[in-house]
Coordinates of all heavy atoms in Angstrom, one line a residue:
D207 N -105.4 2.1 24.6 CA -104.4 1.2 24.5 C -104.6 0.0 25.5 O -104.2 -1.1 25.2 CB -103.1 1.9 24.9 CG -102.6 2.9 23.8 OD1 -103.1 2.8 22.7 OD2 -101.7 3.7 24.1
R208 N -105.2 0.2 26.6 CA -105.4 -0.8 27.7 C -106.2 -1.9 27.0 O -105.9 -3.1 27.3 CB -105.9 -0.2 28.9 CG -106.0 -1.1 30.1 CD -106.6 -0.4 31.3 NE -106.3 1.0 31.3 CZ -106.9 1.8 32.1 NH1 -107.7 1.4 32.9 NH2 -106.6 3.1 32.1
F209 N -107.3 -1.6 26.4 CA -108.2 -2.6 25.8 C -107.5 -3.5 24.8 O -107.4 -4.7 24.9 CB -109.3 -1.9 25.1 CG -110.1 -2.9 24.3 CD1 -111.0 -3.8 24.9 CD2 -110.0 -3.0 22.9 CE1 -111.8 -4.7 24.2 CE2 -110.6 -3.9 22.2 CZ -111.6 -4.8 22.8
W210 N -106.7 -2.8 23.9 CA -106.1 -3.6 22.8 C -104.9 -4.5 23.3 O -104.8 -5.7 23.0 CB -105.6 -2.7 21.7 CG -106.7 -2.2 20.9 CD1 -107.1 -0.8 20.8 CD2 -107.5 -2.9 20.0 NE1 -108.1 -0.7 19.9 CE2 -108.5 -2.0 19.3 CE3 -107.6 -4.3 19.6 CZ2 -109.4 -2.4 18.5 CZ3 -108.6 -4.7 18.6 CH2 -109.4 -3.7 18.1
L211 N -104.2 -3.8 24.3 CA -103.1 -4.6 24.9 C -103.6 -5.8 25.7 O -103.0 -7.0 25.6 CB -102.1 -3.7 25.7 CG -101.4 -2.7 25.0 CD1 -100.7 -1.7 26.0 CD2 -100.3 -3.3 24.1
S212 N -104.7 -5.6 26.4 CA -105.2 -6.8 27.2 C -105.8 -7.8 26.3 O -105.7 -9.0 26.6 CB -106.3 -6.2 28.1 OG -106.7 -7.2 29.0
L213 N -106.4 -7.5 25.1 CA -107.0 -8.5 24.3 C -105.9 -9.3 23.6 O -105.9 -10.5 23.5 CB -107.8 -7.8 23.2 CG -108.5 -8.7 22.2 CD1 -109.5 -9.6 22.9 CD2 -109.2 -7.8 21.1
R214 N -104.9 -8.5 23.1 CA -103.8 -9.2 22.4 C -102.9 -10.0 23.4 O -102.3 -11.1 23.0 CB -102.8 -8.2 21.7 CG -103.5 -7.7 20.4 CD -104.0 -8.8 19.5 NE -102.9 -9.3 18.7 CZ -102.9 -10.2 17.8 NH1 -104.0 -10.8 17.6 NH2 -101.8 -10.8 17.3
A215 N -102.8 -9.6 24.7 CA -102.1 -10.4 25.6 C -102.8 -11.8 25.9 O -102.2 -12.8 26.1 CB -102.0 -9.6 26.9
A216 N -104.2 -11.8 25.9 CA -104.9 -13.0 26.0 C -104.7 -14.0 24.9 O -104.7 -15.2 25.1 CB -106.3 -12.7 26.3
F217 N -104.5 -13.4 23.8 CA -104.4 -14.2 22.4 C -103.2 -13.7 21.7 O -103.3 -13.2 20.6 CB -105.7 -14.0 21.6 CG -107.0 -14.3 22.3 CD1 -107.8 -13.2 22.8 CD2 -107.4 -15.5 22.7 CE1 -108.9 -13.4 23.6 CE2 -108.6 -15.8 23.5 CZ -109.3 -14.6 23.9
P218 N -102.0 -14.0 22.2 CA -100.8 -13.4 21.7 C -100.5 -13.9 20.2 O -99.8 -13.1 19.4 CB -99.7 -13.8 22.6 CG -100.3 -15.0 23.3 CD -101.7 -14.8 23.4
Y219 N -100.9 -15.1 19.8 CA -100.5 -15.6 18.6 C -101.7 -15.7 17.6 O -101.6 -16.4 16.5 CB -99.8 -17.0 18.6 CG -98.6 -16.9 19.5 CD1 -98.6 -17.4 20.7 CD2 -97.5 -16.2 19.0 CE1 -97.4 -17.2 21.6 CE2 -96.3 -16.1 19.9 CZ -96.3 -16.6 21.1 OH -95.2 -16.5 21.9
A220 N -102.9 -15.1 18.0 CA -104.0 -15.2 17.2 C -103.9 -14.4 15.8 O -103.2 -13.4 15.9 CB -105.2 -14.7 18.1
R221 N -104.6 -14.8 14.9 CA -104.6 -14.1 13.6 C -105.8 -13.1 13.5 O -107.0 -13.4 13.7 CB -104.9 -15.2 12.5 CG -104.7 -14.7 11.1 CD -104.6 -15.7 10.1 NE -105.5 -15.3 9.0 CZ -106.7 -15.9 8.7 NH1 -107.1 -16.9 9.3 NH2 -107.4 -15.4 7.7
L222 N -105.4 -11.9 13.3 CA -106.4 -10.8 13.1 C -106.7 -10.7 11.7 O -105.8 -10.6 10.8 CB -105.8 -9.5 13.6 CG -106.7 -8.2 13.5 CD1 -107.9 -8.3 14.4 CD2 -105.8 -7.0 13.7
E223 N -107.9 -10.7 11.3 CA -108.4 -10.7 10.0 C -109.4 -9.4 9.8 O -110.3 -9.4 10.5 CB -109.1 -12.0 9.5 CG -109.5 -12.1 8.0 CD -110.0 -13.3 7.7 OE1 -110.0 -14.3 8.5 OE2 -110.5 -13.4 6.6
L224 N -109.2 -8.7 8.8 CA -110.0 -7.5 8.5 C -111.0 -7.9 7.4 O -110.6 -8.3 6.4 CB -109.1 -6.3 8.0 CG -109.9 -5.0 7.7 CD1 -110.6 -4.5 8.9 CD2 -108.9 -4.0 7.2
H225 N -112.3 -7.8 7.8 CA -113.3 -8.3 6.9 C -113.9 -7.1 6.0 O -114.3 -7.3 4.9 CB -114.4 -9.0 7.6 CG -114.0 -10.1 8.3 ND1 -113.8 -11.4 7.7 CD2 -113.7 -10.3 9.7 CE1 -113.3 -12.2 8.7 NE2 -113.3 -11.6 9.8
H226 N -114.0 -6.0 6.6 CA -114.6 -4.8 5.9 C -114.2 -3.5 6.5 O -114.0 -3.4 7.7 CB -116.1 -4.9 5.9 CG -116.8 -3.8 5.2 ND1 -116.9 -3.6 3.9 CD2 -117.4 -2.6 5.7 CE1 -117.6 -2.5 3.6 NE2 -117.9 -1.9 4.7
Q227 N -113.9 -2.5 5.7 CA -113.5 -1.2 6.3 C -114.2 -0.1 5.4 O -114.3 -0.4 4.2 CB -112.1 -1.0 6.3 CG -111.2 -0.9 5.1 CD -109.8 -0.8 5.4 OE1 -109.4 -0.7 6.6 NE2 -109.0 -0.9 4.3
I228 N -114.4 1.0 5.9 CA -114.9 2.2 5.2 C -114.4 3.4 5.9 O -114.4 3.4 7.2 CB -116.5 2.1 5.1 CG1 -116.9 3.3 4.0 CG2 -117.2 2.2 6.4 CD1 -118.4 3.2 3.7
G229 N -114.2 4.5 5.1 CA -113.8 5.7 5.7 C -114.7 6.8 5.1 O -115.1 6.7 4.0
R230 N -115.1 7.8 5.9 CA -115.9 8.9 5.5 C -115.4 10.3 5.9 O -114.8 10.3 7.0 CB -117.3 8.7 6.0 CG -118.2 7.6 5.7 CD -118.5 7.5 4.3 NE -119.3 8.8 4.0 CZ -120.3 8.9 3.2 NH1 -120.7 7.8 2.5 NH2 -120.9 10.0 3.0
D231 N -115.5 11.2 5.1 CA -115.1 12.6 5.4 C -116.1 13.5 4.8 O -116.0 14.1 3.7 CB -113.7 12.9 4.8 CG -113.1 14.2 5.3 OD1 -113.7 14.8 6.2 OD2 -111.9 14.5 4.7
D232 N -117.2 13.7 5.6 CA -118.3 14.6 5.1 C -118.3 15.9 5.7 O -117.8 16.1 6.7 CB -119.7 13.8 5.5 CG -119.8 12.5 4.9 OD1 -119.6 12.3 3.7 OD2 -120.2 11.5 5.6
P233 N -118.9 16.9 4.9 CA -118.8 18.3 5.4 C -119.5 18.4 6.7 O -120.6 17.8 7.0 CB -119.6 19.0 4.3 CG -119.5 18.1 3.0 CD -119.5 16.7 3.6
G234 N -119.0 19.2 7.7 CA -119.5 19.4 9.0 C -119.3 18.3 9.9 O -119.7 18.3 11.1
L235 N -118.7 17.2 9.5 CA -118.5 16.0 10.5 C -117.0 15.7 10.6 O -116.3 16.1 9.5 CB -119.2 14.8 10.0 CG -120.7 14.9 10.0 CD1 -121.3 13.7 9.2 CD2 -121.3 15.1 11.4
S236 N -116.6 15.1 11.5 CA -115.2 14.7 11.7 C -115.0 13.6 10.7 O -115.8 12.7 10.6 CB -114.9 14.2 13.1 OG -115.1 15.2 14.0
P237 N -113.7 13.4 10.2 CA -113.4 12.2 9.4 C -113.5 11.0 10.3 O -113.2 11.1 11.5 CB -111.8 12.5 9.0 CG -111.6 13.9 9.2 CD -112.6 14.4 10.3
R238 N -114.0 10.0 9.8 CA -114.2 8.7 10.6 C -114.0 7.5 9.8 O -114.0 7.5 8.6 CB -115.6 8.8 11.3 CG -116.7 8.9 10.3 CD -117.8 9.7 10.8 NE -118.9 9.7 9.9 CZ -119.0 10.7 8.9 NH1 -118.0 11.4 8.6 NH2 -120.0 10.6 8.1
A239 N -113.7 6.4 10.5 CA -113.6 5.1 9.8 C -114.2 4.0 10.7 O -114.4 4.1 11.9 CB -112.0 4.8 9.7
A240 N -114.7 3.0 9.9 CA -115.4 1.8 10.6 C -114.8 0.6 10.0 O -114.4 0.5 8.8 CB -116.8 1.9 10.4
R241 N -114.5 -0.4 10.9 CA -114.0 -1.7 10.6 C -114.7 -2.8 11.1 O -115.1 -2.7 12.3 CB -112.5 -1.8 10.9 CG -111.6 -0.9 10.1 CD -110.3 -1.0 10.6 NE -109.4 -0.3 9.6 CZ -108.1 -0.2 9.7 NH1 -107.5 -0.7 10.7 NH2 -107.4 0.5 8.7
R242 N -114.9 -3.9 10.4 CA -115.4 -5.2 11.0 C -114.2 -6.2 10.8 O -113.6 -6.4 9.8 CB -116.6 -5.8 10.2 CG -117.2 -7.0 10.7 CD -118.5 -7.2 10.0 NE -118.5 -7.1 8.6 CZ -118.2 -7.9 7.6 NH1 -117.9 -9.1 8.1 NH2 -118.4 -7.8 6.4
W243 N -113.9 -6.9 12.0 CA -112.7 -7.8 12.1 C -113.0 -8.9 12.9 O -114.0 -9.1 13.6 CB -111.5 -6.9 12.5 CG -111.8 -6.2 13.8 CD1 -112.3 -4.9 14.1 CD2 -111.7 -6.8 15.2 NE1 -112.5 -4.6 15.3 CE2 -112.1 -5.7 16.1 CE3 -111.3 -7.9 15.7 CZ2 -112.1 -5.9 17.5 CZ3 -111.3 -8.2 17.0 CH2 -111.7 -7.1 18.0
S244 N -112.0 -9.9 12.9 CA -112.1 -11.1 13.7 C -110.8 -11.4 14.1 O -109.7 -11.1 13.5 CB -112.8 -12.3 13.0 OG -112.0 -12.7 12.0
L245 N -110.6 -12.1 15.3 CA -109.4 -12.6 15.9 C -109.6 -14.0 16.2 O -110.6 -14.4 16.9 CB -109.1 -11.8 17.1 CG -107.8 -11.9 17.8 CD1 -106.7 -11.3 17.0 CD2 -107.8 -11.2 19.1
T246 N -108.8 -15.0 15.6 CA -108.9 -16.4 15.8 C -107.6 -17.0 16.3 O -106.5 -16.7 15.7 CB -109.3 -17.0 14.5 OG1 -110.5 -16.4 14.0 CG2 -109.6 -18.5 14.6
G247 N -107.7 -17.6 17.5 CA -106.5 -18.3 18.0 C -106.8 -18.9 19.3 O -107.9 -19.0 19.7
K248 N -105.7 -19.4 20.0 CA -105.7 -19.9 21.3 C -105.6 -18.9 22.4 O -104.9 -17.9 22.3 CB -104.7 -21.0 21.4 CG -104.9 -22.2 20.6 CD -103.9 -23.3 20.9 CE -104.3 -24.6 20.1 NZ -103.4 -25.6 20.4
H249 N -106.3 -19.2 23.4 CA -106.2 -18.3 24.7 C -104.9 -18.8 25.3 O -104.9 -19.7 26.3 CB -107.5 -18.6 25.6 CG -107.4 -17.8 26.8 ND1 -107.9 -18.4 28.1 CD2 -107.0 -16.6 27.2 CE1 -107.7 -17.5 29.0 NE2 -107.3 -16.4 28.4
E250 N -103.8 -18.2 25.0 CA -102.4 -18.6 25.5 C -101.7 -17.7 26.3 O -100.6 -17.9 26.8 CB -101.6 -18.9 24.3 CG -102.1 -20.1 23.4 CD -101.1 -20.3 22.3 OE1 -101.0 -19.4 21.3 OE2 -100.6 -21.4 22.2
G251 N -102.4 -16.5 26.8 CA -101.6 -15.6 27.6 C -102.6 -14.9 28.6 O -103.8 -15.1 28.6
W252 N -102.0 -14.2 29.5 CA -102.7 -13.5 30.6 C -103.2 -12.3 29.9 O -102.5 -11.6 29.3 CB -101.9 -13.2 31.8 CG -101.5 -14.5 32.6 CD1 -100.5 -15.4 32.4 CD2 -102.3 -15.0 33.8 NE1 -100.6 -16.4 33.3 CE2 -101.6 -16.1 34.1 CE3 -103.4 -14.5 34.4 CZ2 -102.1 -16.8 35.3 CZ3 -103.8 -15.2 35.5 CH2 -103.2 -16.4 35.9
G253 N -104.5 -11.9 30.2 CA -105.1 -10.8 29.7 C -106.4 -10.5 30.2 O -106.7 -11.0 31.4
M254 N -107.3 -10.0 29.5 CA -108.7 -9.7 30.0 C -109.5 -10.9 30.3 O -110.6 -10.8 30.9 CB -109.4 -8.7 29.0 CG -109.7 -9.3 27.7 SD -110.9 -8.2 26.6 CE -110.1 -6.7 26.7
F255 N -109.1 -12.2 29.9 CA -109.8 -13.3 30.2 C -109.2 -14.3 31.0 O -109.3 -15.4 31.2 CB -110.2 -14.0 28.8 CG -111.0 -13.1 27.9 CD1 -110.5 -12.4 27.0 CD2 -112.4 -13.0 28.2 CE1 -111.3 -11.6 26.1 CE2 -113.2 -12.1 27.4 CZ -112.6 -11.4 26.4
G256 N -108.3 -13.7 32.0 CA -107.7 -14.6 33.1 C -106.6 -15.4 32.6 O -105.9 -15.2 31.6
A257 N -106.3 -16.4 33.4 CA -105.2 -17.5 33.2 C -105.4 -18.2 31.8 O -106.6 -18.5 31.4 CB -105.2 -18.5 34.3
P258 N -104.3 -18.4 31.1 CA -104.4 -19.1 29.9 C -105.0 -20.5 29.9 O -104.7 -21.2 30.9 CB -102.9 -19.2 29.3 CG -102.2 -18.2 30.2 CD -102.9 -18.0 31.5
T259 N -105.9 -20.8 29.0 CA -106.6 -22.2 29.0 C -106.2 -22.9 27.8 O -106.6 -24.2 27.7 CB -108.0 -22.0 29.0 OG1 -108.5 -21.3 27.9 CG2 -108.5 -21.1 30.3
G260 N -105.7 -22.4 26.7 CA -105.5 -23.1 25.5 C -106.7 -23.3 24.7 O -106.7 -24.0 23.6
A261 N -107.8 -22.7 25.0 CA -109.0 -22.8 24.3 C -108.9 -22.1 23.0 O -108.4 -21.0 22.9 CB -110.2 -22.2 25.1
E262 N -109.5 -22.8 21.9 CA -109.5 -22.1 20.6 C -110.7 -21.1 20.7 O -111.8 -21.4 21.1 CB -109.8 -23.1 19.5 CG -108.7 -24.0 19.2 CD -107.7 -23.2 18.2 OE1 -108.0 -22.2 17.7 OE2 -106.5 -23.6 18.2
V263 N -110.5 -19.9 20.3 CA -111.4 -18.8 20.4 C -111.5 -18.0 19.1 O -110.5 -17.8 18.5 CB -111.1 -17.8 21.5 CG1 -112.0 -16.7 21.6 CG2 -111.0 -18.7 22.8
H264 N -112.8 -17.7 18.7 CA -113.0 -16.7 17.6 C -113.7 -15.5 18.1 O -114.8 -15.6 18.7 CB -113.9 -17.5 16.6 CG -114.2 -16.7 15.4 ND1 -113.2 -16.5 14.4 CD2 -115.2 -16.0 15.0 CE1 -113.6 -15.6 13.5 NE2 -114.9 -15.3 13.8
V265 N -113.1 -14.4 18.0 CA -113.5 -13.1 18.5 C -114.1 -12.3 17.2 O -113.3 -12.1 16.3 CB -112.5 -12.3 19.3 CG1 -113.0 -11.0 19.7 CG2 -111.9 -13.1 20.4
M266 N -115.3 -11.9 17.3 CA -115.8 -11.0 16.2 C -115.9 -9.6 16.8 O -116.3 -9.4 17.8 CB -117.1 -11.5 15.7 CG -117.1 -12.8 15.0 SD -118.7 -13.3 14.3 CE -119.7 -13.5 15.9
G267 N -115.4 -8.6 16.0 CA -115.4 -7.3 16.6 C -115.8 -6.2 15.5 O -115.6 -6.3 14.3
L268 N -116.2 -5.0 16.0 CA -116.4 -3.8 15.3 C -115.7 -2.7 15.8 O -115.7 -2.6 17.1 CB -117.9 -3.5 15.2 CG -118.9 -4.5 14.7 CD1 -120.3 -4.2 15.1 CD2 -118.8 -4.6 13.2
S269 N -115.1 -1.8 15.1 CA -114.4 -0.7 15.6 C -114.8 0.6 14.7 O -115.1 0.5 13.5 CB -112.8 -0.8 15.3 OG -112.5 -1.9 16.0
H270 N -114.9 1.7 15.4 CA -115.3 3.0 14.9 C -114.3 3.9 15.4 O -114.2 4.1 16.7 CB -116.7 3.3 15.2 CG -117.2 4.6 14.5 ND1 -117.0 5.8 15.0 CD2 -117.7 4.7 13.3 CE1 -117.5 6.7 14.2 NE2 -117.9 6.1 13.1
A271 N -113.6 4.7 14.5 CA -112.7 5.7 15.0 C -113.1 7.1 14.4 O -113.5 7.2 13.2 CB -111.3 5.3 14.5
E272 N -112.9 8.1 15.3 CA -113.2 9.5 14.8 C -111.9 10.3 14.9 O -111.1 10.2 15.9 CB -114.2 10.1 15.7 CG -114.8 11.4 15.3 CD -116.0 11.8 16.1 OE1 -116.9 11.0 16.4 OE2 -115.8 12.9 16.7
F273 N -111.6 11.1 13.9 CA -110.3 11.8 13.9 C -110.5 13.3 14.0 O -111.5 13.8 13.5 CB -109.5 11.4 12.6 CG -109.3 9.9 12.4 CD1 -110.1 9.2 11.7 CD2 -108.2 9.3 13.0 CE1 -110.0 7.9 11.5 CE2 -108.0 8.0 12.9 CZ -108.9 7.2 12.0
G274 N -109.5 13.9 14.6 CA -109.5 15.4 14.7 C -108.2 15.9 14.3 O -107.4 15.2 13.7
P275 N -107.9 17.3 14.5 CA -106.7 17.9 14.0 C -105.5 17.1 14.6 O -104.4 17.3 13.9 CB -106.9 19.3 14.5 CG -108.1 19.4 15.3 CD -108.8 18.1 15.3
S276 N -105.4 16.5 15.7 CA -104.3 16.0 16.3 C -104.2 14.4 16.2 O -103.5 13.8 16.9 CB -104.2 16.4 17.7 OG -104.2 17.8 17.9
G277 N -105.1 13.9 15.3 CA -105.0 12.5 15.1 C -106.4 11.8 15.7 O -107.4 12.4 15.6
L278 N -106.2 10.7 16.3 CA -107.4 9.9 16.8 C -108.0 10.8 17.9 O -107.4 11.1 19.0 CB -106.9 8.6 17.4 CG -108.1 7.7 17.8 CD1 -108.9 7.2 16.7 CD2 -107.5 6.4 18.4
R279 N -109.4 11.1 17.8 CA -110.1 11.8 18.8 C -110.7 10.8 19.7 O -110.8 11.0 20.9 CB -111.2 12.7 18.1 CG -112.0 13.4 19.1 CD -113.0 14.3 18.4 NE -112.3 15.4 17.7 CZ -112.9 16.1 16.7 NH1 -114.0 15.9 16.3 NH2 -112.1 17.1 16.2
R280 N -111.5 9.9 19.2 CA -112.1 8.8 20.1 C -112.2 7.6 19.2 O -112.4 7.6 18.0 CB -113.4 9.3 20.6 CG -114.5 9.6 19.7 CD -115.7 10.3 20.5 NE -116.0 11.4 19.6 CZ -116.2 12.6 20.2 NH1 -116.4 12.7 21.4 NH2 -116.5 13.6 19.4
E281 N -112.4 6.4 19.9 CA -112.5 5.2 19.3 C -113.5 4.3 20.1 O -113.5 4.3 21.4 CB -111.1 4.4 19.3 CG -111.3 3.0 18.7 CD -109.8 2.3 18.8 OE1 -109.2 2.5 19.8 OE2 -109.6 1.4 17.9
Y282 N -114.4 3.5 19.4 CA -115.4 2.7 20.0 C -115.0 1.2 19.5 O -114.8 1.1 18.2 CB -116.7 3.0 19.6 CG -117.1 4.5 20.0 CD1 -117.0 5.6 19.2 CD2 -117.6 4.8 21.3 CE1 -117.2 6.8 19.6 CE2 -117.9 6.0 21.7 CZ -117.6 7.1 20.8 OH -118.0 8.3 21.1
V283 N -115.0 0.2 20.4 CA -114.8 -1.2 20.0 C -115.9 -2.0 20.5 O -116.2 -1.8 21.7 CB -113.4 -1.6 20.4 CG1 -113.3 -3.1 19.9 CG2 -112.3 -0.8 19.7
L284 N -116.5 -2.9 19.8 CA -117.5 -3.8 20.2 C -117.1 -5.3 20.0 O -116.8 -5.6 18.9 CB -118.9 -3.4 19.6 CG -120.0 -4.4 19.9 CD1 -120.4 -4.2 21.3 CD2 -121.2 -4.0 19.0
I285 N -117.0 -6.0 21.1 CA -116.8 -7.4 21.0 C -117.9 -8.2 21.9 O -118.5 -7.5 22.8 CB -115.4 -7.9 21.5 CG1 -115.1 -7.5 22.9 CG2 -114.4 -7.3 20.5 CD1 -113.8 -8.1 23.4
D286 N -118.2 -9.4 21.6 CA -119.1 -10.2 22.4 C -118.4 -10.9 23.4 O -118.0 -12.1 23.2 CB -119.9 -11.0 21.5 CG -121.0 -11.8 22.2 OD1 -121.1 -11.7 23.3 OD2 -121.8 -12.5 21.5
E287 N -118.1 -10.3 24.6 CA -117.3 -11.0 25.7 C -118.1 -12.3 26.2 O -117.3 -13.2 26.6 CB -117.1 -10.0 26.8 CG -116.1 -8.8 26.4 CD -115.9 -8.0 27.7 OE1 -115.7 -8.5 28.7 OE2 -115.9 -6.8 27.5
V288 N -119.4 -12.3 26.2 CA -120.1 -13.5 26.7 C -119.7 -14.6 25.7 O -119.5 -15.8 26.2 CB -121.6 -13.3 26.7 CG1 -122.4 -14.6 27.0 CG2 -121.9 -12.1 27.7
A289 N -119.7 -14.4 24.5 CA -119.4 -15.5 23.5 C -117.9 -16.0 23.7 O -117.6 -17.2 23.6 CB -119.5 -15.1 22.1
I290 N -117.0 -15.1 24.1 CA -115.6 -15.5 24.3 C -115.5 -16.4 25.5 O -114.8 -17.3 25.5 CB -114.7 -14.2 24.4 CG1 -114.8 -13.5 23.0 CG2 -113.3 -14.6 24.7 CD1 -114.2 -12.0 23.1
W291 N -116.2 -15.9 26.6 CA -116.2 -16.6 27.9 C -116.8 -18.1 27.6 O -116.3 -19.0 28.2 CB -116.9 -15.9 29.0 CG -116.1 -14.8 29.6 CD1 -116.3 -13.4 29.5 CD2 -114.9 -15.1 30.4 NE1 -115.3 -12.8 30.3 CE2 -114.5 -13.8 30.8 CE3 -114.3 -16.2 30.8 CZ2 -113.3 -13.6 31.6 CZ3 -113.1 -16.0 31.6 CH2 -112.6 -14.7 32.0
K292 N -117.8 -18.1 26.8 CA -118.4 -19.4 26.6 C -117.4 -20.3 25.9 O -117.4 -21.4 26.2 CB -119.7 -19.3 25.7 CG -120.3 -20.5 25.4 CD -121.6 -20.4 24.6 CE -122.3 -21.8 24.3 NZ -123.4 -21.6 23.5
Q293 N -116.7 -19.8 24.9 CA -115.7 -20.7 24.3 C -114.6 -21.1 25.2 O -114.2 -22.3 25.1 CB -115.1 -19.9 23.0 CG -116.1 -19.6 22.0 CD -115.5 -18.7 20.9 OE1 -114.7 -19.1 20.1 NE2 -115.9 -17.4 21.0
I294 N -114.2 -20.3 26.1 CA -113.2 -20.6 27.1 C -113.7 -21.7 28.1 O -113.1 -22.6 28.4 CB -112.7 -19.4 27.9 CG1 -111.9 -18.5 26.9 CG2 -111.9 -19.8 29.1 CD1 -111.5 -17.0 27.4
L295 N -115.0 -21.4 28.5 CA -115.6 -22.3 29.5 C -115.9 -23.7 28.9 O -115.9 -24.7 29.7 CB -116.8 -21.8 30.2 CG -116.6 -20.5 31.0 CD1 -117.9 -19.8 31.5 CD2 -115.8 -21.0 32.3
M296 N -116.2 -23.8 27.6 CA -116.4 -25.1 27.0 C -115.2 -25.9 27.0 O -115.2 -27.1 27.0 CB -116.9 -24.9 25.5 CG -118.4 -24.4 25.5 SD -118.9 -24.0 23.8 CE -118.9 -25.5 23.0
K297 N -114.0 -25.2 27.0 CA -112.7 -25.9 27.0 C -112.4 -26.4 28.5 O -111.9 -27.5 28.7 CB -111.6 -25.1 26.5 CG -110.3 -25.4 26.8 CD -109.8 -26.6 25.9 CE -108.2 -26.7 26.3 NZ -107.7 -27.8 25.4
T298 N -112.7 -25.5 29.4 CA -112.2 -25.8 30.8 C -113.3 -26.4 31.7 O -113.0 -27.0 32.7 CB -111.9 -24.4 31.5 OG1 -113.0 -23.6 31.6 CG2 -110.7 -23.7 30.8
G299 N -114.6 -26.4 31.2 CA -115.6 -27.1 32.0 C -116.2 -26.3 33.1 O -116.0 -25.3 33.6

């Protein structure tokens, strides 16, 4: 929760777009899902990228979730933080 809340806090009005998703439930393995997504908008809130700058930012991300008997077992998310910081720094100098 901390990761997602901090990301959305930094880009509160950004548009989340889902580009691809797949789910698998193979014998001997946990059910799992993978998604490729992007978040596009302005850095308008306090979050994982510090004080709001108004910079237009495009975040590309991948998520992988594994499920167990009680719901979500573990989740992995990959974003390119360096690319996000670069977009913010190009605005602020």
Side-chain angles (χ1 to χ4, degrees):
D207 290 345
R208 190 177 331 165
F209 168 80
W210 287 112
L211 291 173
S212 185
L213 181 65
R214 287 304 284 178
F217 309 103
Y219 303 105
R221 186 171 136 245
L222 179 65
E223 185 176 350
L224 182 60
H225 300 283
H226 180 76
Q227 66 181 354
I228 187 170
R230 298 288 305 213
D231 190 6
D232 298 311
L235 297 171
S236 299
R238 57 213 183 280
R241 291 182 167 175
R242 183 170 41 92
W243 52 270
S244 65
L245 189 66
T246 305
K248 290 186 178 184
H249 180 220
E250 297 179 296
W252 287 87
M254 66 172 49
F255 298 99
T259 61
E262 283 284 343
V263 175
H264 182 74
V265 179
M266 294 183 291
L268 300 168
S269 301
H270 185 271
E272 188 177 305
F273 303 95
S276 300
L278 184 63
R279 178 179 291 161
R280 66 188 128 222
E281 177 185 33
Y282 303 94
V283 179
L284 177 65
I285 61 172
D286 186 349
E287 289 186 43
V288 173
I290 298 167
W291 279 113
K292 181 178 178 181
Q293 292 171 76
I294 292 170
L295 292 173
M296 287 175 63
K297 164 79 175 177
T298 61

